[in-house]
Amino acid sequence: MAWSPQPLVSTAWLADHLTAPDLRIIDASWYMPADNRDVRAEYDKCHIPGARFFDIDEISDAQSDLPHMAPSVEKFVSRMRALGIGDGHRVVVYDSAGIFSAARVWWLFNHFGKTDVSVLDGGLPAWIAERRDTLDFPPTLRDRHFTARRNADLVRDVTQVAASAKLRDVQIVDARAPARFEGTAPEPREGLRSGHIPGARNLFFKDLLTADGKMKDKDGLRAAFAAAGVDLDRPIVTSCGSGVTAAIINLALVVLGHSNHALYDGSWAEWGAYKDLKVATGPA
């Protein structure tokens, strides 16, 4: 499977390449509705120079009842062209949490065949902590030609995941907090059962990150996967609440050189809503 050759870049790297003509920067900040944060207003007030705002909820499949499912190729191409992102551009994605929703947009680019994309390690908090410049006005955008082709190997649907849960031919790794995974905490979305996909392993996405929101080093990542009971020599499908933090696991896997993995786009928003799908509770 083809993934980004350089999944992460540092703030120092971005600062050195900030004015490169072939670089495009994306602010992919997103939060749960319950957080009551206006990420677009936050972007308008403060963003890395040159950054375009990527609306995860809008650049999605509007025909689906599930939250921010991957859009069609045509819609993704249209939105990227409008953002001035084209063929030959190097893309760096960041968010305002450190590493959170940026991983989802990084995964989307990979899913649509553009692998020259990286996540900014530490995101906007790291950039601001280093007293680097920010702006409060957007860049001038010019429509660019953008080519995309969907890579089906990087995504799984509910039928495929149900088969894997039964056959145990791949490892399902859930990025949600342990209480949600074990079913002792309610889901933030109404109408969903509590628990996890039978046979899944729980690797809370925060266990892959340092206290300041950066990706752990390779030894730390390997230790986190081992602690969760995940075998890095086997194929993996990632999951979470709605396909956002699952991508952080995919990002960590690429950092480790693991390529045989995909993301369950519907995640628990889909599985937890289907009454005929089995649900497990308690620790893995």
Side-chain angles (χ1 to χ4, degrees), residues 2-4 24-28 52 54 59 70-71 76-77 79-81 83-87 89-94 101-119 146-151 154 247:
W3 290 94
S4 300
R24 293 294 182 268
I25 306 169
I26 288 177
D27 184 322
R52 293 109 160 95
F54 188 112
I59 306 175
F76 191 77
V77 167
R79 297 302 189 269
M80 293 309 99
R81 289 184 60 173
L83 286 175
I85 298 171
D87 297 337
H89 284 150
R90 170 74 183 272
V91 178
V92 173
V93 190
Y94 74 86
S101 49
R104 167 69 184 191
V105 174
W106 166 87
W107 172 80
L108 277 173
F109 273 104
N110 279 272
H111 175 50
F112 288 114
K114 186 170 182 60
T115 58
D116 197 6
V117 56
S118 306
V119 170
F146 184 87
T147 305
R149 183 174 64 182
R150 183 175 180 268
N151 186 346
L154 306 192

Side-chain angles (χ1 to χ4, degrees), residues 1-281:
M1 299 181 185
W3 290 94
S4 300
Q6 188 177 2
L8 289 174
V9 294
S10 67
T11 49
W13 184 96
L14 182 58
D16 288 343
H17 294 80
L18 198 62
T19 58
D22 63 341
L23 181 70
R24 293 294 182 268
I25 306 169
I26 288 177
D27 184 322
S29 300
W30 177 89
Y31 293 93
M32 289 289 292
D35 291 322
N36 292 316
R37 292 181 64 164
D38 186 338
V39 290
R40 181 57 196 248
E42 292 180 19
Y43 162 83
D44 289 339
K45 183 181 293 186
C46 175
H47 57 263
I48 294 175
R52 293 109 160 95
F53 182 73
F54 188 112
D55 189 334
I56 287 177
D57 289 322
E58 196 284 323
I59 306 175
S60 66
D61 181 2
Q63 305 304 313
S64 176
D65 293 330
L66 298 170
H68 41 254
M69 293 286 282
S72 66
V73 172
E74 293 78 13
K75 184 171 184 178
F76 191 77
V77 167
S78 171
R79 297 302 189 269
M80 293 309 99
R81 289 184 60 173
L83 286 175
I85 298 171
D87 297 337
H89 284 150
R90 170 74 183 272
V91 178
V92 173
V93 190
Y94 74 86
D95 61 55
S96 56
I99 293 181
F100 185 60
S101 49
R104 167 69 184 191
V105 174
W106 166 87
W107 172 80
L108 277 173
F109 273 104
N110 279 272
H111 175 50
F112 288 114
K114 186 170 182 60
T115 58
D116 197 6
V117 56
S118 306
V119 170
L120 179 63
D121 200 13
L124 186 61
W127 186 268
I128 291 175
E130 294 165 4
R131 301 183 182 278
R132 301 188 187 275
D133 291 342
T134 60
L135 294 178
D136 58 2
F137 57 90
T140 300
L141 303 181
R142 297 180 184 175
D143 192 279
R144 296 300 179 98
H145 180 74
F146 184 87
T147 305
R149 183 174 64 182
R150 183 175 180 268
N151 186 346
D153 289 339
L154 306 192
V155 67
R156 295 291 183 270
D157 62 25
V158 66
T159 302
Q160 293 168 313
V161 175
S164 292
K166 181 178 181 179
L167 298 173
R168 306 295 170 96
D169 57 341
V170 303
Q171 300 167 100
I172 300 168
V173 184
D174 191 321
R176 292 176 299 158
R180 288 176 63 190
F181 178 86
E182 295 173 9
T184 59
E187 285 297 304
R189 292 181 175 84
E190 292 185 9
L192 299 183
R193 297 168 295 167
S194 296
H196 59 266
I197 299 169
R201 295 288 182 174
N202 185 208
L203 176 49
F204 188 26
F205 75 91
K206 289 186 178 181
D207 291 339
L208 298 169
L209 307 176
T210 62
D212 57 355
K214 294 182 180 180
M215 188 71 74
K216 289 181 176 179
D217 62 22
K218 290 183 179 181
D219 287 342
L221 293 179
R222 291 189 191 97
F225 280 102
V230 179
D231 183 351
L232 291 173
D233 291 327
R234 296 184 57 211
I236 293 169
V237 170
T238 66
S239 181
C240 60
S242 62
V244 174
T245 59
I248 299 174
I249 300 179
N250 295 96
L251 180 65
L253 289 168
V254 174
V255 169
L256 289 174
H258 188 297
S259 62
N260 191 5
H261 53 95
L263 183 146
Y264 173 25
D265 202 13
S267 284
W268 197 252
E270 182 174 41
W271 191 282
Y274 282 162
K275 306 302 182 185
D276 56 340
L277 293 174
K278 293 182 179 179
V279 168
T281 56

